[in-house]
Amino acid sequence: MAVDYQSLAVKGVQALSPYQPGKPIEELARELGLNPEEIIKLASNENPLGPSEKAMAAARKALEELCLYPDGNGFALKQALVNRFGVAMNQITLGNGSNDVLEVIARCFAGPDSEVVFSQYAFAVYPLVAQAIGAKGVSVPAKEWGHDLDAMAGAINARTRLIFVANPNNPTGTVHTAEAIDAFLQRIPERVLVVLDEAYCEYLTGDQFPDGLKLLERFPNLIVCRTFSKAWGLAAMRVGYAISSPAIADVLNRVRQPFNVNAIALAAAAAVLDDDAYLSRSREVNEAGLLQLAEGFKKIGVAFIPSVGNFIAVDVGEQSADVYQALLSRGVIVRPVAGYGMPNHLRVSVGLPEENERFLLALSDALQSVRKGG
């Protein structure tokens, strides 16, 4: 009799379903026989500008030493983060993307006898990492598509160890002010760690930006996570980081795998932090794209959730799965979010102006086709 290896896995893992990323261009081309050069992907919140030239130059130079292990401590990247944000070296934990850091945090501070709190409609990785380590995930109902911070604070009990807060939130694009986050943190016991996931924070500026790093000195139980995959344009490199108190960072760095960030990613990330012109251009293109998509949705007559990220969730109705397939057949990849509990929505990433326009035309056509039953 064959061994049931799934039954041998730890309980939390047995019930997991693999995370479903956005469909790659090559996969759609194979499935439908489309020309990959004519497909646009607006599914994974990637930067449509392509990478920074400074990052590319640093990556090319790093290729010359492919035979060597990377710096396991990531000194150069940490120094670049210190220079940019004014934090200390011993506050930083590097990760193979911010997902890696989120998992390390969960493994360090939660387990089968604890609870992890997160919001409804929040990043899918939060419940996944909680379940994988055997912790009880507590999903708090959302408020106007965003986090209900009062309800999340009220969900804390003696077993609570972690709270995940995405600000801005993916996939809804909502954001809380600095004052709201501050007031929320004041209600959280120091024994409960708050993970403030700021993966999209670089798209915010001025008073709109609730910078979590400014709160670290007052709240020693706070961990701020960020990534180079979005506004910094390095999604393929997989590099993220957490900034926390030295005491928390010390714990995280005990569990973090050595060499978890490769040498090319370390070099590119350190270089792009010095490319303010690229970041400014990313913001400009994104702001214009958000406006273009919002105006397009209004003309088509579909509702959407106003967003401050580099994506918008649009309500295409009960036949969203059919609309998604119709878009694929037209060479446009977006992201279904039924797995987030949003079965009527599709999430579309901001692209270049011509990509946004093509998507809007395809969406209008797809909606008409689906409604006619074609």
Side-chain angles (χ1 to χ4, degrees):
M1 181 177 179
V3 175
D4 180 4
Y5 289 104
Q6 183 172 323
S7 68
L8 299 180
V10 296
K11 289 184 178 179
V13 174
Q14 288 180 20
L16 279 177
S17 297
Y19 177 80
Q20 295 295 324
K23 182 183 286 291
I25 289 174
E26 295 78 8
E27 181 178 322
L28 179 61
R30 289 194 303 269
E31 289 178 351
L32 299 184
L34 301 177
N35 182 349
E37 294 182 0
E38 297 178 357
I39 296 172
I40 59 170
K41 181 187 177 189
L42 303 175
S44 299
N45 303 343
E46 295 149 334
N47 193 320
L49 291 179
S52 150
E53 283 302 320
K54 288 188 176 182
M56 288 291 288
R60 291 188 191 101
K61 190 173 187 304
L63 285 171
E64 298 172 3
E65 297 184 340
L66 282 183
C67 59
L68 303 179
Y69 283 106
D71 174 5
N73 192 44
F75 178 84
L77 176 53
K78 286 184 178 180
Q79 188 62 61
L81 291 167
V82 168
N83 294 342
R84 187 169 186 91
F85 299 120
V87 297
M89 189 84 72
N90 64 355
Q91 292 181 265
I92 302 170
T93 305
L94 300 179
N96 184 233
S98 58
N99 281 20
D100 184 31
V101 178
L102 297 174
E103 182 184 9
V104 169
I105 293 169
R107 289 176 59 202
C108 285
F109 293 103
D113 297 324
S114 59
E115 294 186 1
V116 176
V117 175
F118 43 82
S119 177
Q120 179 189 24
Y121 312 134
F123 189 31
V125 166
Y126 308 151
L128 285 178
V129 297
Q131 188 172 338
I133 61 174
K136 178 183 177 182
V138 178
S139 178
V140 177
K143 183 178 182 180
E144 297 177 350
W145 297 108
H147 293 46
D148 186 338
L149 295 179
D150 288 337
M152 292 178 74
I156 295 173
N157 60 37
R159 297 180 59 193
T160 307
R161 292 294 176 269
L162 286 175
I163 301 178
F164 286 107
V165 176
N167 202 52
N169 182 52
N170 170 33
T172 63
T174 55
V175 68
H176 285 285
T177 64
E179 292 75 17
I181 295 295
D182 191 307
F184 169 72
L185 290 170
Q186 291 182 46
R187 297 184 57 185
I188 309 302
E190 282 195 22
R191 64 171 179 80
V192 178
L193 274 66
V194 177
V195 181
L196 189 59
D197 186 349
E198 295 187 333
Y200 300 90
C201 69
E202 287 86 4
Y203 289 109
L204 307 178
T205 57
D207 295 337
Q208 188 186 28
F209 181 18
D211 188 351
L213 298 182
K214 295 180 179 179
L215 301 171
L216 284 169
E217 188 172 341
R218 292 176 48 224
F219 299 101
N221 58 333
L222 176 64
I223 305 173
V224 178
C225 292
R226 293 181 179 178
T227 181
F228 287 89
S229 296
K230 310 304 180 186
W232 294 112
L234 295 178
M237 293 293 190
R238 307 306 302 126
V239 54
Y241 59 96
I243 300 180
S244 62
S245 70
I248 290 176
D250 177 59
V251 174
L252 299 179
N253 282 312
R254 297 180 189 193
V255 174
R256 177 188 68 87
Q257 291 294 307
F259 314 123
N260 65 332
V261 184
N262 70 72
I264 303 171
L266 289 171
V272 80
L273 276 176
D274 192 39
D275 197 344
D276 286 321
Y278 177 83
L279 181 60
S280 294
R281 181 62 179 149
S282 294
R283 287 171 173 158
E284 291 170 2
V285 169
N286 191 67
E287 183 177 357
L290 286 174
L291 180 61
Q292 181 183 7
L293 290 172
E295 291 300 317
F297 293 147
K298 291 174 184 176
K299 290 179 181 178
I300 294 172
V302 290
F304 61 94
I305 304 171
S307 173
V308 299
N310 65 339
F311 55 86
I312 300 184
V314 56
D315 186 347
V316 296
E318 295 181 0
Q319 293 177 295
S320 65
D322 294 331
V323 175
Y324 170 67
Q325 291 297 327
L327 287 170
L328 290 181
S329 70
R330 289 160 173 80
V332 177
I333 307 174
V334 296
R335 184 65 181 272
V337 285
Y340 285 86
M342 300 168 63
N344 289 4
H345 286 79
L346 298 174
R347 190 193 69 193
V348 54
S349 306
V350 174
L352 296 173
E354 59 272 21
E355 293 174 325
N356 300 332
E357 183 61 26
R358 181 176 162 194
F359 158 71
L360 289 168
L361 291 172
L363 177 63
S364 179
D365 188 43
L367 285 168
Q368 293 182 40
S369 176
V370 168
R371 287 165 181 167
K372 293 178 180 177

